[in-house]
Amino acid sequence: MKFIQTRGCDENSPKSVTFSEAILSPIASFGGLYVPESLPELGERFLTKHLNSSYKELAYDMLEHFEIDIDRSVIKKALSLYDKFDTPENPVPVVKVKENLYISELYHGPTRAFKDMALQPFGSVLSSIAQKRGEHYLILAATSGDTGPAALETFKNRANVQVACLYPNGGTSDVQRLQMVTEDAKNLKVIGINGVFDDAQNALKRLLASSEFKKALKEKNILLSAANSVNFGRIIFQIIYHIHSYLELVRQGAITMGEKVYLNVPSGNFGNALGAYYAWKMGLPVEKIIISSNENNVLTKLIKTGKYDLRKLHVVNTTSPAMDILKSSNIERILYDMFGDERTKELMYSLEENHFYELTSDELASLKKSFDADFCTGDEGKKYIKDTFYKHGYLMDPHTATCMKSYETCSKEDIKTIAYSTAEWTKFSPVIANALTGEIDGEDLKALVSISKEANLKIPDMIKELFAKEIVQSTVIEKEDIEKEILKFL
């Protein structure tokens, strides 16, 4: 399979590249992204074939259909990392919460968040490619809270890679911050910036496209890549769990093969939702993809009105901080798929230069055929957390709680919904403790203990141990100093 570019191809770039080339250098011509030239068809025959398959068997066969240029032994080694999850034979449990609502739990990996689903195998694959080519890579990661810990976990002590991870100082939960600042591997650098996630992501994209920065790296014999979902190496692994979740409903007798479902995705940077969209395009029976936002509801506004308008907006700090994002990178891949490269380039340039674009009425109609959306306030989310726990016995984090609002407003009663839980309750304990018991202390450790008693749940060792670890990554800088700090690390 070949990969092509969302904004067209400049005169210095090849018209298409291989999968390995796309993940090693993820930014394409004119600041665009790489997408598959075509998607494999995985219809009912494929789904039926894997009705009794393990997650790893399903994943391997899907990757085979993509015909990526990665050795089979490398793929199998990467997928074996799912054996480190809570239940190796089923790393993604799907749990019934209400009559027509099922939660796909994506957080059972080493950092307790859904980013492990993609980054665990991705890190193994990228390091293997670098070693095979005899090259050394700097991996940039910008995080709103979950990508950072997952990227650091997958790349720590791996050969031929170093990681610089940017996070907004004060913009993550304490557990997320501790997961990053206690990492002591020599090939990792964690950098807090005085700013918001969009500042970190903008810096990442600028550096990925900077010939001067690449020249400075070349002098050190280092090449540049990224762990964010601008990298299709992330997206390809995010398609798999949507297919798995559908098959789980068939296995549980909740639906019959071929019956359509809603996929309800809490969305910030849109990679998770893009994986759902590609799964649908490849043959998964989906009624619609529902996008769930928090108060930073640019995605809901886009899907409802066709306008992506950042002109008077600033990031609002919410109870679901991993979604405190205004520029959602993977919307670009949706625009390309629906409207082509010239229109995508026009729209993305308008967003970058004018902080605004607007779809035509026909374009908006096309978008609405695939997507619906709503947003949930922090207070609404806490009420959903409390009600769902005490009425249905299910404890969810504040990002998952945003799905409850859109489930009520966007779903038809006779169609089953799969909503995605992107983080374990341990990652955002002060919000959940406040929702359940009214506590307002704000300390993560105290909140964890409180929830553990209230819900009769064990605090996982990897979370409990964070509070006794030494903080070894204490760098906090202004966003203007990011490049200088990374070069100093190298």
Side-chain angles (χ1 to χ4, degrees):
M1 177 176 289
K2 295 294 185 179
F3 287 75
I4 52 178
Q5 306 175 70
T6 54
R7 303 186 192 181
C9 182
D10 65 31
E11 59 185 16
N12 298 316
S13 300
K15 289 186 177 180
S16 64
V17 299
T18 63
F19 176 74
S20 60
E21 289 167 334
I23 68 172
L24 291 174
S25 300
I27 295 297
S29 299
F30 311 113
L33 305 175
Y34 284 105
V35 291
E37 192 169 31
S38 61
L39 290 167
E41 176 63 36
L42 304 180
E44 194 166 314
R45 181 183 295 180
F46 177 89
L47 295 173
T48 302
K49 174 185 175 184
H50 288 289
L51 193 52
N52 297 309
S53 296
S54 69
Y55 191 90
K56 288 190 296 184
E57 289 168 339
L58 169 68
Y60 184 83
D61 197 17
M62 195 211 78
L63 294 172
E64 282 275 280
H65 278 74
F66 267 89
E67 298 178 339
I68 56 177
D69 62 325
I70 307 296
D71 291 345
R72 284 173 171 78
S73 61
V74 171
I75 294 173
K76 288 180 178 177
K77 180 181 177 183
L79 294 177
S80 73
L81 293 170
Y82 290 128
D83 293 339
K84 297 194 302 182
F85 284 52
D86 290 346
T87 308
E89 61 271 19
N90 185 11
V92 184
V94 179
V95 180
K96 182 177 181 178
V97 175
K98 294 183 178 181
E99 185 56 37
N100 286 322
L101 176 63
Y102 293 75
I103 303 290
S104 178
E105 297 180 343
L106 303 175
Y107 56 74
H108 288 275
T111 71
R112 319 313 289 172
F114 82 108
K115 301 298 174 69
D116 290 325
M117 294 304 304
L119 279 168
Q120 279 291 296
F122 171 72
S124 177
V125 168
L126 196 149
S127 176
S128 295
I129 296 172
Q131 291 176 67
K132 183 177 180 180
R133 294 165 68 120
E135 296 171 340
H136 293 261
Y137 280 83
L138 169 66
I139 313 298
L140 295 181
T143 186
S144 56
D146 285 331
T147 289
L152 297 168
E153 174 68 25
T154 192
F155 283 114
K156 68 181 180 184
N157 298 317
R158 286 201 183 275
N160 295 55
V161 292
Q162 292 169 278
V163 178
C165 176
L166 311 173
Y167 74 96
N169 186 37
T172 70
S173 75
D174 282 350
V175 165
Q176 289 172 319
R177 180 182 60 83
L178 287 171
Q179 285 179 316
M180 292 185 281
V181 300
T182 57
E183 285 283 12
D184 60 359
K186 299 298 184 186
N187 68 326
L188 308 178
K189 177 65 178 178
V190 178
I191 302 171
I193 63 168
N194 292 319
V196 297
F197 170 75
D198 283 317
D199 295 321
Q201 179 164 258
N202 289 339
L204 176 142
K205 288 182 176 179
R206 179 179 60 80
L207 292 175
L208 286 172
S210 169
S211 56
E212 288 187 8
F213 184 61
K214 290 177 182 176
K215 182 180 178 182
L217 294 183
K218 190 175 182 181
E219 291 173 0
K220 302 174 184 291
N221 292 316
I222 297 172
L223 297 165
L224 186 61
S225 188
N228 279 58
S229 58
V230 295
N231 197 316
F232 200 86
R234 278 269 305 274
I235 301 301
I236 199 168
F237 289 106
Q238 291 184 271
I239 300 169
I240 300 161
Y241 53 69
H242 296 291
I243 301 172
H244 163 82
S245 299
Y246 181 89
L247 290 172
E248 277 291 287
L249 258 63
V250 178
R251 292 173 191 131
Q252 293 176 25
I255 59 173
T256 57
M257 183 66 77
E259 186 176 340
K260 290 186 176 182
V261 298
Y262 289 109
L263 304 182
N264 188 323
V265 187
S267 296
N269 222 12
F270 215 78
N272 198 352
L274 178 69
Y277 178 77
Y278 282 149
W280 181 16
K281 294 268 295 188
M282 290 157 60
L284 196 68
V286 174
E287 178 70 18
K288 252 184 191 181
I289 298 162
I290 298 171
I291 302 304
S292 301
S293 305
N294 62 19
E295 290 99 321
N296 296 293
N297 59 337
V298 288
L299 294 172
T300 297
K301 290 176 181 175
L302 173 67
I303 291 163
K304 294 291 190 185
T305 70
K307 296 177 181 179
Y308 208 116
D309 191 353
L310 306 181
R311 287 173 295 189
K312 296 180 181 178
L313 291 186
H314 298 281
V315 172
V316 177
N317 292 327
T318 73
T319 56
S320 47
M323 293 156 58
D324 291 348
I325 296 170
L326 294 181
K327 282 189 177 180
S328 297
S329 292
N330 284 293
I331 285 291
E332 177 164 346
R333 287 179 164 123
I334 298 291
L335 297 176
Y336 170 80
D337 190 78
M338 292 186 173
F339 314 129
D341 56 10
E342 288 187 16
R343 180 60 170 155
T344 301
K345 183 180 178 183
E346 179 185 357
L347 292 170
M348 294 309 299
Y349 273 21
S350 179
L351 185 65
E352 290 161 10
E353 294 171 8
N354 307 315
H355 308 290
F356 173 82
Y357 66 71
E358 183 173 4
L359 302 180
T360 67
S361 58
D362 287 346
E363 288 169 343
L364 177 58
S366 294
L367 190 67
K368 285 185 172 183
K369 285 179 183 177
S370 303
F371 297 98
D372 201 353
D374 204 347
F375 77 99
C376 179
T377 68
D379 287 341
E380 288 174 326
K382 285 190 282 189
K383 188 175 187 304
Y384 284 120
I385 290 169
K386 182 176 183 178
D387 289 350
T388 305
F389 178 69
Y390 289 116
K391 291 179 182 178
H392 303 282
Y394 189 81
L395 186 62
M396 62 180 64
D397 90 297
H399 302 77
T400 311
T402 64
C403 297
M404 302 302 287
K405 171 82 172 286
S406 55
Y407 167 71
E408 293 179 351
T409 61
C410 300
S411 303
K412 295 176 184 175
E413 289 185 5
D414 58 340
I415 299 176
K416 302 290 191 300
T417 293
I418 302 171
Y420 293 87
S421 186
T422 54
E424 188 179 59
W425 60 273
T426 56
K427 303 290 285 280
F428 305 96
S429 54
V431 176
I432 298 171
N434 177 250
L436 296 183
T437 67
E439 287 183 30
I440 55 173
D441 188 281
E443 290 185 5
D444 278 44
L445 187 55
K446 184 177 179 181
L448 285 165
V449 172
S450 173
I451 297 165
S452 177
K453 290 178 180 177
E454 181 72 15
N456 194 27
L457 292 169
K458 181 180 182 293
I459 304 170
D461 291 340
M462 72 270 280
I463 297 295
K464 192 185 300 183
E465 291 165 359
L466 287 171
F467 296 90
K469 280 188 170 183
E470 179 186 358
I471 292 176
V472 294
Q473 304 266 8
S474 57
T475 301
V476 177
I477 60 173
E478 299 302 319
K479 57 188 178 184
E480 294 80 12
D481 297 327
I482 290 171
E483 182 173 345
K484 182 171 67 176
E485 189 67 33
I486 292 173
L487 291 173
K488 180 179 164 186
F489 157 61
L490 296 176

